[in-house]
Amino acid sequence: LTVDTSGLDRFVPAATTQRTIAGRVSASLGAAAVRVGDADATLAPDGTFSRAVSVAAGLSVVPIVATDRAGHTRSAHRSLIRSRFLPEGQVNPAAARLQLTEALLQQIAAPLRADVQGIDIAREIMARDVLSDSNGCVTYPRFAQHQPAELDLGIARDGSLWISIDIPSLVIQFDGECQAVLSRAPIEGQIVTSLHVETRLGADGNGTRCVTGLSHTAPDVSLPGFSVDIRGTGFLTGFLVTLMASFREGQVHDEFLQQFTTQADALLGQKLATVSLFGGAQPMALLGQNVALDLCLVALAPVGGALEATVGAKVSAGGTRLAPGAPQLDAAPPRAVPGALLLDTNLVSQALFSAWRAGGLAKPSQQQVPLDLLAALVPALGGRWPDGTMVDVDIDGELPAVVRAAPATMTPPAMGRPAPAMIVELGDLRIRLHVGDATLFELGARISLTLGLEPDTGALRPTVLTSTAEVHLLSEPVADADDAALEAVVQSRLGDSAAALLGGARLALPSLGGALRPGAVTPDAGGRYLRVALQ
């Protein structure tokens, strides 16, 4: 008695609420009925059957039980995943949300501050052939210097982000000539000022794509402490030039202000074009596979007077297993609050999907068990192979994991254990027990793992708190077994095996020029996001 549902598409789009379960049953004594869900399916004389069932969001197990004319039964349960699916390598635009505080801004400012300190306006001035040429006077730079540039970041009252750059103690010495009453008069002098530049910053990723640089508004430039000292060096011209200087100081100020504004706009565009916030590929090991997690800024905007950053994520592992994408369960994001990172459980789903697609749940010979142990449960196996024969146990997860936030009402953990944060469900986990090429039994399983997340140096490490498994015998080609007894034995060991697959995993958090220090993790009531306290 066998049931074939190999043609069933188990990936259900989020907008679809029903799926037709179809297949074929073969029975040496003749098929009598096939029950799908809570009712009998339509069964044709050739053994094909079908029935439409309702599909809830997330992972659903559809019980399928075939019965032959002698009353024997065979389970062929199948899992369906109904969700939005994100193809591997595409951006999840809501992987994390964070309300920026002044303390976090200082982390962001650190690499920018180091970069800005390299600004050398004096060198640019000395590279000019002519310092100024207007109103009958031409000047040439002879010396320029200033103190190192300083940068500051802040949040305005409306929640927008501003940046200021100060270049203190700029001194420019020059010489040249001016048109006097009857001739050209030689001059020399110096300009003393500071340079203050302020602008608002923005990030335009349309909330859907990675931002490759920050934008800025037209800079507001001022020259604090500006003064000009112009002296004539020719005979009888000193008095006339000194008199002219009092009228030219305002003109020189305006001329330099215009030049510096143009330069500041270009400089900001250059410096901000390559700024990467929350970015960079962060490798992680998951299900025994190397997974590349790439985080990036997708939005930076004021919300209710606060500044919120939205972080996107791309995940890939180079796998080839066919599937429409990582299951993504939708729910409205909660408001970000100071001191906490909102982490999307769909990001964990992305990582597990890429690891699964690369073969992370295809585990040949996951373990071995002595045939004698199975023979004690299934006596018909005795004497078929030599003493000491080992049975290989293969595991193959036919579906990727479905991840959601743990209910806030779950029982608190034991002392010293992290609080429940996520539920990870694995459906249609195929278990094959075999000796060489001879299959003894095939079983299907569904596993549910409750995970806590423990802080680990700028990352979160998953810890399995509880596990439940549901196992069904699918085929027994060699010997007839007590279905319930065999299922119970496999079920008792399956949770521990699944938990071991997550060993060593670390979920990296966004970087702001320095690793965030996560604290306790609690699930949001909406069922999608986790709140990660920041230390």
Side-chain angles (χ1 to χ4, degrees):
L1 178 59
T2 61
V3 181
D4 179 10
T5 56
S6 57
L8 177 62
D9 182 1
R10 287 164 286 175
F11 297 95
V12 184
T16 302
T17 58
Q18 281 199 331
R19 173 55 47 96
T20 296
I21 307 298
R24 180 187 295 273
V25 59
S26 301
S28 58
L29 299 180
V34 178
R35 192 170 184 83
V36 176
D38 57 359
D40 288 339
T42 302
L43 179 63
D46 64 353
T48 58
F49 65 89
S50 66
R51 179 175 182 262
V53 298
S54 296
V55 185
L59 181 71
S60 300
V61 176
V62 180
I64 303 172
V65 180
T67 306
D68 68 11
R69 291 173 183 167
H72 302 124
T73 61
R74 170 68 64 231
S75 296
H77 298 9
R78 283 292 177 266
S79 297
L80 303 176
I81 298 177
R82 178 187 159 206
S83 73
R84 177 172 53 86
F85 296 100
L86 182 69
E88 184 172 29
Q90 289 192 11
V91 176
N92 166 11
R97 295 178 65 210
L98 180 68
Q99 188 178 112
L100 295 182
T101 62
E102 292 292 341
L104 291 174
L105 283 180
Q106 297 313 307
Q107 288 194 44
I108 296 174
L112 293 175
R113 187 174 289 115
D115 190 31
V116 163
Q117 285 178 345
I119 294 176
D120 193 345
I121 295 294
R123 182 177 59 188
E124 295 182 14
I125 290 173
M126 293 304 298
R128 299 182 189 178
D129 293 330
V130 175
L131 181 63
S132 175
D133 184 0
S134 65
N135 295 326
C137 290
V138 179
T139 59
Y140 309 96
R142 293 296 178 250
F143 173 80
Q145 71 175 13
H146 57 76
Q147 297 298 314
E150 301 170 355
L151 175 141
D152 192 20
L153 280 176
I155 302 174
R157 289 184 178 180
D158 64 357
S160 60
L161 178 64
W162 59 263
I163 183 173
S164 70
I165 298 175
D166 286 283
I167 300 177
S169 305
L170 174 61
V171 177
I172 306 170
Q173 296 178 355
F174 60 87
D175 58 22
E177 58 182 12
C178 287
Q179 181 65 47
V181 178
L182 299 176
S183 63
R184 305 288 292 180
I187 61 171
E188 64 181 14
Q190 72 175 11
I191 299 171
V192 177
T193 187
S194 293
L195 178 62
H196 177 80
V197 180
E198 190 168 315
T199 186
R200 300 292 178 98
L201 301 184
D204 184 17
N206 292 328
T208 60
R209 64 174 185 268
C210 295
V211 173
T212 56
L214 297 180
S215 61
H216 68 281
T217 60
D220 181 10
V221 180
S222 61
L223 304 175
F226 183 89
S227 67
V228 180
D229 179 20
I230 303 176
R231 301 177 299 277
T233 59
F235 181 65
L236 296 179
T237 61
F239 172 74
L240 295 175
V241 171
T242 301
L243 183 63
M244 291 169 54
S246 65
F247 294 101
R248 283 189 47 79
E249 182 168 335
Q251 296 176 348
V252 175
H253 174 278
D254 293 346
E255 182 179 344
F256 271 79
L257 183 63
Q258 181 179 358
Q259 291 180 10
F260 285 139
T261 299
T262 302
Q263 287 182 320
D265 193 40
L267 179 66
L268 285 168
Q270 175 188 350
K271 294 294 183 183
L272 297 174
T274 57
V275 169
S276 177
L277 297 182
F278 312 99
Q282 305 182 50
M284 59 187 297
L286 194 59
L287 302 182
Q289 305 298 313
N290 294 320
V291 177
L293 170 63
D294 194 358
L295 299 168
C296 65
L297 181 71
V298 296
L300 184 67
V303 177
L307 182 62
E308 285 192 11
T310 303
V311 181
K314 295 186 292 185
V315 183
S316 60
T320 58
R321 194 156 194 169
L322 295 178
Q328 305 281 278
L329 302 181
D330 290 322
R335 283 287 302 273
V337 296
L341 173 76
L342 288 174
L343 186 66
D344 189 4
T345 55
N346 285 333
L347 170 59
V348 182
S349 178
Q350 286 177 268
L352 288 171
F353 173 78
S354 291
W356 166 83
R357 193 164 181 258
L361 286 179
K363 302 292 185 182
S365 299
Q366 174 71 10
Q367 61 180 356
Q368 288 187 318
V369 296
L371 180 62
D372 292 346
L373 290 180
L374 281 178
L377 186 65
V378 186
L381 293 176
R384 289 177 176 261
W385 285 275
D387 291 343
T389 297
M390 301 298 290
V391 177
D392 288 307
V393 181
D394 299 348
I395 295 179
D396 184 17
E398 296 182 350
L399 293 176
V402 174
V403 184
R404 55 188 171 88
T409 56
M410 288 195 73
T411 303
M415 186 66 68
R417 302 279 281 170
M422 294 186 300
I423 306 294
V424 176
E425 296 178 291
L426 296 169
D428 286 2
L429 193 67
R430 184 65 65 99
I431 304 162
R432 176 175 174 247
L433 283 68
H434 62 98
V435 175
D437 294 332
T439 299
L440 307 185
F441 305 103
E442 282 190 308
L443 303 100
R446 175 193 180 188
I447 299 176
S448 179
L449 303 174
T450 301
L451 303 183
L453 294 172
E454 297 185 277
D456 183 8
T457 318
L460 295 171
R461 186 182 298 278
T463 299
V464 177
L465 302 177
T466 62
S467 64
T468 58
E470 180 183 336
V471 178
H472 300 280
L473 182 63
L474 302 177
S475 69
E476 44 187 357
V478 171
D480 188 26
D482 181 328
D483 292 14
L486 183 60
E487 290 167 355
V489 169
V490 174
Q491 183 169 304
S492 66
R493 299 190 177 190
L494 196 54
D496 292 338
S497 297
L501 294 174
L502 295 172
R506 292 176 76 251
L507 182 64
L509 295 182
S511 172
L512 296 86
L516 291 176
R517 296 179 58 198
V521 180
T522 55
D524 181 73
R528 173 177 172 181
Y529 284 86
L530 304 174
R531 294 184 180 272
V532 183
L534 299 178
Q535 300 178 7

